[in-house]
Amino acid sequence: MNNDDFRQWSRRAADWGADYRNTLRGRPVRPRVKPGDILGSIEASPPEAAEPMDAIFADFEQKIVPGMTHWQHPRFFAYFPANAAPVSVVAEYLVSAMAAQCMLWQTSPAATELETRTVDWMRQALGLPDGFSGVIQDSASSATLAAVLTMRERALNWQGNKKGLAGQPRLRIYSSDQVHTSIDRAIWVSGIGEDNLVRIPVAGRFRTMDTAALEAAIVADRQAGMLPAGIVACVGGTSTGGTDDITGVAAVAERHGLYLHVDAAWAGSAMICPEYRHFWAGVEKADSIVFNPHKWLGAQFDCSIQFLRDPESHVKTLAIKPDYLKTHGHDVIINYSEWSVPLGRRFRALKLWFLLRAHGLENLRNMIRNHVAWSESLAARLAMEPDFEIVSETMLSLFSFRHLAASSGVDPDEHNLRLVNAINDDGRIYLTQTRVDGRVAIRFQAGQFETTAADVDAAFDVVTEIARGLA
């Protein structure tokens, strides 16, 4: 591909992207395909000779797009959003075109310094104190792994990386059962082992970790000769929005000298609205906080910010400095590869910079406030329906519900799984299920960047219409 071809096809791709976004409402949110359909349509062996771009692009439109779930669809109410505001897509075009490797200051000075600035902009937007600095990770999973590794190293007096875990005291990490499974994976990868992830009981509307039980577990483990290392607290858990008392958990962590990581991957975006900050009151006492601008704020995936109260411990855990990675003559610069598990780094700050400037915080606040209000309204409407029950009340824009089968002989879990599958097969909206207290419930969250009140009203119509058809 020469430069003229590159220009032509870049324009074609940009036009396609604009047309795609313009037609999303008319597409089913989830594709109507069966496993293997796409695989069977693609040649089994790679081509020996070059193929024309016209043919490649046509296959993209005819074979790939029909098999995609449309995460930017305004009626995508499943999981959590993975928004890509159009302005962030434009920024990603530029990042892709430059194709810079941003592991060190010297490999892309502007990328490093823009990351420092945009992370601090987000610190201010969320109301975090001046002492916090941070880094853009690829996802909350990587940020959590980095936090767990730091817990491990601090508890072992920085000997884990050098000596390994053999012969060391048995480490313990504490969380509720509301945290994301990325915490489980971080425990695996760090070598601590899932048997040493201690699940603390929860209670109340937001399934909040019992701080008395947390402290009792720490004391009991110490008395048994084990080594408590850290706590992972949750603000806006994936299943039902589980949210811990950060002030209470932080007090326990401080009394016992434990590292505290707060996972606010989804809900953290809402903290740009001062009226929602009570959900993470006390967060300034955390050692590490993660939230994902690529979820609710509109920065195209991947873009996850990890804030750190003491970056020195974090860098001491992760930094490796062979001679070929040193930037000689500049002792005060930041090399963000020393703040991350991967060495290679993309220029993630550019899309966040574009996004914040193009929309401004107040427009982003209004979007989040609308999503919360519309979800609360939908939950209230469903609660008034005779055959529906609200299982978990709204946490910001997330709640869960269940439909009551007309026949007493129908298994309620099977009935609700049939309902959510029928809704998703219909294609007008997309929902996912969870389990609450062992029973199936259907999740709803509003968070897509271009969702409107009419889209949420449509969700009510679709859910009640299809539920009546199953009765």
Side-chain angles (χ1 to χ4, degrees), residues 140-142 144-145 148 179-188 263:
S141 296
S142 290
T144 297
L145 174 59
V148 169
V179 297
H180 192 267
T181 52
S182 61
I183 282 78
D184 300 64
R185 186 168 292 176
I187 299 299
W188 297 352
D263 180 359

Side-chain angles (χ1 to χ4, degrees), residues 73-213:
H73 199 295
R75 295 181 182 178
F76 184 102
F77 301 121
Y79 306 104
F80 284 133
N83 283 326
V87 69
S88 79
V89 176
V90 171
E92 282 290 80
Y93 289 162
L94 305 178
V95 169
S96 296
M98 289 186 288
Q101 170 54 263
C102 305
M103 57 188 176
L104 307 173
W105 178 87
Q106 68 176 346
T107 63
S108 285
T112 296
E113 295 185 19
L114 187 64
E115 182 163 345
T116 300
R117 182 62 73 210
T118 55
V119 167
D120 192 65
W121 278 8
M122 286 310 317
R123 177 196 63 78
Q124 296 174 54
L126 299 178
L128 293 173
D130 288 344
F132 279 88
S133 55
V135 57
I136 302 179
Q137 308 280 21
D138 56 0
S139 66
S141 296
S142 290
T144 297
L145 174 59
V148 169
L149 291 170
T150 304
M151 292 176 189
R152 186 192 75 185
E153 289 305 294
R154 282 206 339 176
L156 295 176
N157 195 27
W158 314 105
Q159 295 302 302
N161 282 341
K162 184 175 183 179
K163 297 181 179 179
L165 300 187
Q168 304 279 15
R170 185 174 172 183
L171 296 172
R172 304 286 266 182
I173 308 291
Y174 306 86
S175 77
S176 77
D177 63 356
Q178 298 298 302
V179 297
H180 192 267
T181 52
S182 61
I183 282 78
D184 300 64
R185 186 168 292 176
I187 299 299
W188 297 352
V189 175
S190 66
I192 292 171
E194 68 178 278
D195 287 348
N196 294 307
L197 177 58
V198 182
R199 302 291 193 180
I200 305 301
V202 299
R205 171 181 171 181
F206 295 115
R207 289 168 168 75
T208 300
M209 185 161 34
D210 183 334
T211 53

Side-chain angles (χ1 to χ4, degrees), residues 265-306:
W266 162 66
S269 293
M271 304 310 155
I272 65 172
C273 305
E275 67 269 30
Y276 300 137
R277 290 178 189 162
H278 63 90
F279 284 118
W280 74 356
V283 75
E284 69 279 356
K285 298 290 187 181
D287 297 289
S288 169
I289 307 160
V290 65
F291 97 104
N292 291 344
H294 67 232
K295 280 191 165 71
W296 210 350
L297 282 189
Q300 187 185 48
F301 186 86
D302 51 11
C303 184
S304 180
I305 297 181
Q306 183 179 11

Side-chain angles (χ1 to χ4, degrees), residues 42-47:
I42 300 170
E43 290 74 9
S45 300

